[in-house]
Amino acid sequence: MNEQNNQVLALQLLRQRVLAAESVAELQVAAELFAAEVLEGETAVSTVLNTTVSIQKRPSPANGFPIGKSGYALHIEGAINKENRSLFQLAAALMVEAPCLATPDAITQTERQLEEALCKAEKRVNELSTFQEVILQLNTPLELDSVLNLIAESALQLVDADNLHIYLYDMESDNFSISAARWSNGDTSPAVSAPRKEGLTRTVALRKEAIVINDAPSHPLFQGTQAKGWQVKAIAGFPLMYGKVVLGVFTITYLHTHTFSKDDLRVLTLLADQAAVAVRNAALFDNSQRRLRDMTALMDMATRVTGKLEVQEVMQTTVQVLRQLFNARASTITMLTDDKLELLVVAGDGILPEMIGEARMKVGEGVSGVAIRLADTVYIPDAHADPDFLSFGDEIRSLIAVPLLVRDEAIGTLTIDSDEPYAFDAANIKLIAVAAAQVSITIANARLFGDIKKHAEDLEEAYIELKESDRLKDELVQNVSHELRTPLSFVRGYVDLLLDEVMGPLAEAQVDALNIVSTKTDEITRLIGDIVTLQRINASNLDFEMVDMVDCVKTAVSGHQLTADKQGVEVTFDCADYSELVAEIDAGRINQVLANLIGNAIKFSPDGGTVGVFLHEQDNNIRVDIIDKGIGIPKDKHQRIFERFYQVDGSSRRRFGGTGVGLAIAKRIVDAHGGALWVESEEGEGSKFMFALPISQNGDLA
């Protein structure tokens, strides 16, 4: 706008200098000053480099502008844009008034022409200034209502019309909505509630081109009773086009005789083009704002339902949130019955409470039934126009039904409806589909939680029963063990008396029989002792003391030397040059562990085999390894051999003897020390049993 004002001022100054020019040289100076003032604000878009102006006797056809009939011309050397060319043409017309060139009659005529040219230039400058201001405002991110009101107000500033109406248009539904109206007296009330089906507005939308009527009373579109009553004299309609899409139509109306000029149509066409872009941008802005609100609402819904693990509560919260989000008449959730033949309304908002848990429909019938059968979204834009529409009420005009899918299987539907036709658009349908997917997952999780909760309760009951059974079993084992010790003591005592022949001499066969009884009695006593040991071993009843593990292990190896010699097995001990390794242990219990592991290694080694015992320190632990070349253990039995009364197979017990509790006792003792006992073995390749004990029970390296 400042640039246009500068141009008008430059023309006014030129005229003053021209009127004072007494010679062609002075006229030349005036032309040069005008050129400097006009070209001072040139930009790179309309570059004027090294441009010179001069008053010459011979005009150039390309760059010369004749100064009236004086024989002189305003000559331009250099490139100029179209707008500045027009200004220099006006300047040449002004120079006719120069006293050095014109006669008195010519001056009078030129003054009139100049006044007309200046008025026209001022009008154009004002028009361009207003239009530029409108374009700047339309290109700012405005809400749709603000854009439409600005278009209406601006159009009445550019042309002297009586009113303007703007209608938004939906090509898919062929429906209009009045969005803005403006009268010359400032009134904003629309003239009609909706455009006529056969009227100008719809015709413009269908043809996708402007229609200009300078004589409305004689035009076919204005012969109806209603149209004649408006007393329209002239009217023009312009489509708001974005590509090939009609976004709307604006009409400009005159209630007095008027003929649309080329300037009117040019300005209004430009405004329509800019308005279409602005409406599109505003619609995108509104859509982005709406999507932001929708996504925020969905996140809020997700937060609200995710924290709920009861299925009914999840479904009821969902329908309440969606109804509020879409400002809908009602929202419901249906679920398939157990026989999968019907849908039952299980949650709803905006419907009669008695319908929940009672209202049913068959699969394949109604919108929800079809959505289930197709496993796809069904949208009814206008229920009254659909003869196959089946509903619980005539007030429903538009409805969306989305299937609830769990692992690609439809379990129910989510529906939302309105009492207005075409209430939902594509964005709404996508949003409801997202909500349905979210609800499906939440319902599946809630159901899973219910199943897990019941399973956990069942497991808790079973665990309680198992603990009680284990307690009773341990109690029974202890009681039986104690009860067996007393009679076994009597048996052993009487056997010893008989063997000592206190009750009389014995035959050799009797002595052999009594020795067998004595041996078996000892085995039973040891078994009972092992069982009692298993029941009693824990950290609280161990007697910890600082013990030299080198001496402890060496003593255990020596204690098994005689057994090894009898079986032809060589036992070696390697303590890696440690003179001593002190650890806080219960020496008696660790001796049991060593005795069991070394004894097993000897027992399961072949004649002539070797057993190696190794002692070393590792990561603040004392570690003992017992390695044999015996029968080995299958890998799938490595953990089970530490269970009570378990042996790899029944034949091993018959072949090698044993009760099957030795390793269980050893593991219980090592665990009570805070250590670990494990095995590495392959069948037929021998075994390597290892256990590690902490140096100190308090974590101190004392």
Side-chain angles (χ1 to χ4, degrees), residues 127-335:
E127 181 183 280
L128 290 173
S129 176
T130 302
F131 195 77
Q132 183 184 29
E133 185 177 348
V134 171
I135 298 305
L136 288 174
Q137 293 186 60
L138 287 178
N139 286 332
T140 58
L142 296 174
E143 292 185 353
L144 187 57
D145 289 342
S146 301
V147 167
L148 296 171
N149 289 327
L150 177 61
I151 295 169
E153 183 179 352
S154 303
L156 291 184
Q157 290 179 9
L158 294 170
V159 294
D160 186 21
D162 287 293
N163 69 64
L164 178 136
H165 287 70
I166 301 176
Y167 305 84
L168 293 185
Y169 181 61
D170 183 352
M171 292 181 63
E172 183 178 352
S173 63
D174 190 23
N175 284 330
F176 286 95
S177 57
I178 296 178
S179 298
R182 184 63 59 94
W183 296 76
S184 57
N185 61 6
D187 188 10
T188 58
S189 302
V192 293
S193 59
R196 295 173 297 150
K197 285 290 184 181
E198 305 299 329
L200 171 69
T201 301
R202 186 165 181 271
T203 305
V204 170
L206 294 178
R207 292 184 183 178
K208 300 183 179 180
E209 62 182 20
I211 296 177
V212 180
I213 302 174
N214 290 316
D215 185 11
S218 64
H219 197 278
L221 291 175
F222 290 88
Q223 297 306 305
T225 303
Q226 183 185 26
K228 287 183 177 180
W230 295 333
Q231 298 182 348
V232 175
K233 301 299 182 183
I235 187 170
F238 300 85
L240 305 182
M241 298 287 297
Y242 189 84
K244 296 182 179 181
V245 178
V246 180
L247 303 177
V249 175
F250 84 75
T251 60
I252 192 93
T253 307
Y254 289 85
L255 301 180
H256 57 273
T257 302
H258 178 79
T259 299
F260 287 93
S261 67
K262 290 183 178 179
D263 287 341
D264 290 341
L265 296 177
R266 175 176 52 80
V267 169
L268 292 173
T269 300
L270 288 173
L271 181 62
D273 292 340
Q274 293 297 322
V277 174
V279 168
R280 170 67 174 175
N281 291 341
L284 291 175
F285 178 75
D286 282 354
N287 285 338
S288 65
Q289 293 296 104
R290 185 181 68 175
R291 290 184 67 183
L292 179 60
R293 291 192 300 269
D294 291 347
M295 294 309 297
T296 302
L298 275 183
M299 290 177 63
D300 177 62
M301 185 186 78
T303 302
R304 292 172 62 180
V305 301
T306 301
K308 302 179 186 298
L309 293 173
E310 295 295 335
V311 176
Q312 188 59 40
E313 192 175 359
V314 167
M315 294 189 293
Q316 194 59 37
T317 300
T318 299
V319 294
Q320 290 171 352
V321 171
L322 289 180
R323 184 191 176 199
Q324 182 179 6
L325 174 61
F326 292 100
N327 193 26
R329 185 199 71 88
S331 178
T332 60
I333 290 179
T334 67
M335 299 296 288

Side-chain angles (χ1 to χ4, degrees), residues 15 52 127 138 141 160 162 168 250 282 295 309 312 343 356 386 416 438 509 519 534 574 660 667 696:
R15 188 185 182 201
T52 60
E127 181 183 280
L138 287 178
D160 186 21
D162 287 293
L168 293 185
F250 84 75
M295 294 309 297
L309 293 173
Q312 188 59 40
L343 286 167
I356 299 176
D386 189 339
I416 188 164
Q438 191 176 67
T519 299
L534 273 174
D574 185 350
K667 189 172 188 321
S696 172

Side-chain angles (χ1 to χ4, degrees), residues 639-660:
Q639 295 301 318
R640 296 209 62 189
I641 60 173
F642 296 107
E643 297 176 7
R644 289 182 293 180
F645 306 110
Y646 180 82
Q647 289 194 334
V648 175
D649 58 54
S651 63
S652 66
R653 181 175 298 184
R654 291 190 295 270
R655 178 182 172 190
F656 297 103
T659 61

